[in-house]
Amino acid sequence: MSRLEARHWVFLGLFLVVLVSMVLQVDLGVTVSDDSRRMHDYLESLPPGSTLLMSFDLEASSLPEMRPLALAIIRHAVSRGHRIVGVALLAEGTGIGYRLLEQVGREYGKVYGEDYVFLGFKPQYIAAMLSMGESIKQTFPEDYLGRPYDSLPVLRRITNYAQIDGVISLADGSLTTHWIEYAGNQYGVRVSAAVAAAMVTTYDPYLASGQLHAMIGGLRGAAEYEQLIHRGGSGLRGMLAQTTSHVYVIVMILIGNVAFFLGMRKRRAG
């Protein structure tokens, strides 16, 4: 078997491992962290009918990790009877945010415009955050579908952050920092976040200082949250695929090293 053929078999094996892991329903028994429980308890503590502003500050490249996080948070909020106002401060987050809200809205029989709304994308994110602190209507005169702000029942009593019970930044980059600085610190709205795993350490100091109220991160955070809300999803399946693929890679490394040393011994003996 040539090196090229061997490489193909290794990648094919990895593909099969991931595929089978994503299909299987195996309970990994993920231990829930204090951070995930804090986010869960926060949404539980809000009275039904509270209004959350969710900002989809993410790009398509991070969807495998961010989608399970976003779905878990949205499902929990909707199941608790909270209303959601969605926005996007990164262009790619626009279609993603709208589709995720529509998906969860259909799952729970919620009505667009009454239980949730998506206002769409606004460039210049710092200016948009400050502008919403003065008037969300002036910042987004229409929703994503072009409907006037005042025609949407879920928005009728909302002028600015004063009528918003919390902001949740769904971010794969640094925009959560700006939500903390420009919405949280200046206007007093409570800011929480669901972030990519690579950004967790960046926001830990904000969480420790109380500037960030709650945070979950990465695929593990999604899996933990799915356990807390008793609803399986791609977070738990993704964790299984991640675990088995790591084990597979370790086994392949061991086999490769054994084959290398056996081949070297054979060459010396010949």
Side-chain angles (χ1 to χ4, degrees), residues 2-254:
S2 70
R3 288 183 180 179
L4 183 61
E5 289 173 335
R7 191 179 307 154
H8 285 168
W9 282 111
V10 169
F11 284 119
L12 179 61
L14 180 60
F15 170 74
L16 292 175
V17 166
V18 173
L19 180 64
V20 171
S21 300
M22 293 298 288
V23 172
L24 290 177
Q25 298 287 333
V26 178
D27 184 6
L28 282 179
V30 178
T31 303
V32 177
S33 66
D34 291 340
D35 289 345
S36 294
R37 194 172 297 281
R38 181 175 180 176
M39 174 69 87
H40 176 269
D41 292 348
Y42 164 52
L43 293 189
E44 289 281 321
S45 69
L46 293 174
S50 298
T51 302
L52 295 169
L53 191 151
M54 290 193 183
S55 184
F56 294 86
D57 308 324
L58 50 90
E59 296 178 320
S61 59
S62 64
L63 264 184
E65 184 179 23
M66 292 302 299
R67 186 174 181 276
L69 272 175
L71 282 176
I73 291 291
I74 297 170
R75 282 171 174 154
H76 187 205
V78 170
S79 70
R80 291 289 301 163
H82 304 322
R83 295 175 296 185
I84 298 175
V85 178
V87 299
L89 301 184
L90 288 181
E92 288 186 39
T94 311
I96 296 169
Y98 177 71
R99 284 196 294 272
L100 293 180
L101 287 177
E102 281 285 275
Q103 177 183 335
V104 178
R106 286 194 300 272
E107 291 175 0
Y108 289 87
K110 299 298 181 180
V111 179
Y112 183 90
E114 295 182 9
D115 302 303
Y116 67 98
V117 68
F118 189 69
L119 297 179
F121 167 66
K122 186 62 65 177
Q124 301 295 326
Y125 45 84
I126 293 176
M129 291 172 189
L130 293 172
S131 178
M132 282 190 280
E134 302 302 321
S135 172
I136 297 177
K137 178 181 176 180
Q138 288 184 8
T139 312
F140 292 94
E142 298 176 338
D143 73 344
Y144 181 58
L145 303 176
R147 299 174 185 175
Y149 188 95
D150 290 331
S151 69
L152 299 160
V154 69
L155 297 172
R156 281 179 186 158
R157 295 182 180 178
I158 296 176
T159 302
N160 51 39
Y161 294 134
Q163 292 80 44
I164 296 292
D165 296 287
V167 170
I168 298 179
S169 173
L170 304 158
D172 57 7
S174 62
L175 257 70
T176 301
T177 305
H178 302 298
W179 277 112
I180 295 168
E181 293 172 349
Y182 295 101
N185 292 346
Q186 293 206 28
Y187 292 96
V189 66
R190 183 176 288 174
V191 177
S192 301
V195 301
M199 300 303 296
V200 168
T201 53
T202 300
Y203 296 121
D204 273 341
Y206 291 99
L207 192 65
S209 66
Q211 296 179 82
L212 184 62
H213 182 68
M215 177 180 70
I216 59 172
L219 201 58
R220 182 181 177 85
E224 292 174 5
Y225 214 83
E226 287 170 2
Q227 281 203 162
L228 285 169
I229 63 175
H230 306 294
R231 174 151 187 160
S234 52
L236 285 166
R237 292 197 303 273
M239 279 297 294
L240 178 62
Q242 185 172 275
T243 301
T244 54
S245 60
H246 285 176
V247 171
Y248 175 82
V249 170
I250 292 171
V251 170
M252 288 298 104
I253 291 172
L254 291 174

